[in-house]
């Protein structure tokens, strides 16, 4: 019984922003657990390279290049999935950007861009997925939060606000969709070794701060999210809803 609790065979997983970084790692982990993959990125985001690498690893991969902040593009993408017989059983709302600047200097356009990409996209894609999951009576939605879903860091306030919103959007999805057999949860990564954080990793002061502030004493690796992601995507989490699992080396648990 326990052996196939985490088996994703027969499921189709859409991971947004999965041409690199955390989304790419999660997609690979889902493929290894047996899922068919739909990977997403904006046109020209290296999506085809990622698809080729995942196919070379033996995974069943569909590419879906669409802008997750564009409502019409999101609707059109799901219409294409419908036409191709692709039923999204598992959705990971991972697409996100970072913008580091003091709020008093922040342009509205930059604020809006971060909120649109990191929060509103999860509503747009989550809504299209849920419209198809509800009639089926089952579905898994995993939103990618952050340590900043709980704590603010100066100079990344739009990101902080968006990720705080992700926590409450996750609870909102649970509130409305759990009765339809959908489990909506979130993962809160700690400081991970990703392209988005390259400037921080290469900053000796920030690097030392992360290592000192994190009980594990190190940055996290993208592949270290796979366990929590497969758990939340599998039957093992059928009675888990509205939760956010922090994969942060213990950072949030200590002063
Ligand atoms: C930053 C980082 C963080 C991490 C992550 C922490 O500038 O502080 O980009 O936002 O990426 O979100 O959980």
């Amino acid at each position: 019984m326990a052996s196939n609790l985490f088996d994703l065979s027969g499921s189709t997983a859409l991971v947004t922003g999965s041409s690199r970084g955390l989304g790419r790692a999660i997609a690979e982990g889902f493929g290894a657990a047996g899922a068919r993959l739909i990977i997403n990125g904006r046109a020209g985001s290296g999506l085809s390279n990622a698809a080729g690498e995942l196919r070379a690893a033996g995974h069943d991969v569909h590419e879906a290049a669409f802008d997750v902040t564009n409502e019409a593009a999101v609707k059109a993408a799901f219409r294409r999935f419908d036409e191709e017989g692709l039923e999204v059983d598992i959705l990971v709302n991972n697409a996100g950007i970072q913008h580091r600047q003091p709020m008093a200097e922040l342009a509205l356009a930059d604020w809006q861009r971060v909120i649109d990409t990191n929060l509103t996209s999860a509503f747009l894609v989550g809504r299209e997925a849920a419209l198809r999951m509800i009639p089926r009576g089952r579905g898994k939605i995993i939103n990618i939060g952050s340590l900043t879903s709980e704590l603010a860091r100066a100079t990344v306030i739009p990101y902080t606000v968006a990720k705080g919103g992700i926590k409450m959007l996750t609870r909102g999805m649970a509130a409305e969709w759990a009765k339809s057999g959908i489990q909506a949860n979130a993962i809160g990564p700690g400081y991970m070794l990703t392209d988005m954080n390259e400037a921080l990793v290469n900053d000796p002061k920030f690097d030392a701060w992360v290592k000192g502030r994190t009980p594990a004493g190190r940055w996290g690796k993208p592949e270290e999210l796979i366990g929590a992601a497969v758990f939340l995507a599998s039957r093992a989490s059928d009675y888990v809803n509205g939760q956010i699992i922090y994969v942060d080396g213990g950072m949030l648990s200590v002063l």
Side-chain angles (χ1 to χ4, degrees), residues 14 38 64 66 76-86 88:
L14 167 61
I38 304 174
F66 63 94
F78 273 80
R79 279 197 300 274
R80 279 197 305 279
F81 298 156
D82 296 341
E83 289 155 10
E84 293 169 16
L86 290 170
V88 176

Side-chain angles (χ1 to χ4, degrees), residues 98 100 145-148 153 156 159 189-191 196-197 200 206:
Q98 183 55 282
R100 301 183 180 101
S146 160
L147 293 169
T148 58
R153 182 171 91 78
V156 291
Y159 185 99
Y191 277 91
M196 186 171 82
N197 287 338
L200 306 179
F206 201 96

Side-chain angles (χ1 to χ4, degrees), residues 206-215 217-218 251 254-255:
F206 201 96
D207 177 53
W209 173 76
V210 167
K211 288 172 179 170
R213 179 72 177 75
T214 306
R218 64 176 176 85
M251 187 184 264
V254 299
L255 283 176

Side-chain angles (χ1 to χ4, degrees), residues 71 93 119-128 166 169 173 177:
E71 183 176 34
N93 281 311
L119 176 58
T120 306
S121 67
F123 159 68
L124 291 174
V125 183
R127 182 183 60 182
E128 289 312 304
I166 281 289
L169 174 63
M173 288 175 168
W177 297 340

Side-chain angles (χ1 to χ4, degrees), residues 2 14 30 47 69 81 93 98 111 130 139 224 242:
L14 167 61
F30 282 177
L47 197 59
T69 68
F81 298 156
N93 281 311
Q98 183 55 282
W111 166 275
E224 290 181 302

Side-chain angles (χ1 to χ4, degrees), residues 22 97-100 144-149 151 153-156 159-160 163 188-192 194 196-198 200 206 209-210 219 246-248 251-252:
L22 304 185
I97 56 174
Q98 183 55 282
H99 183 91
R100 301 183 180 101
I144 302 301
S146 160
L147 293 169
T148 58
S149 295
L151 300 173
R153 182 171 91 78
T155 76
V156 291
Y159 185 99
T160 296
K163 293 300 188 179
Y191 277 91
M192 312 300 279
T194 59
M196 186 171 82
N197 287 338
E198 190 174 3
L200 306 179
F206 201 96
W209 173 76
V210 167
W219 294 73
Y246 286 96
V247 183
D248 67 351
M251 187 184 264
L252 264 185

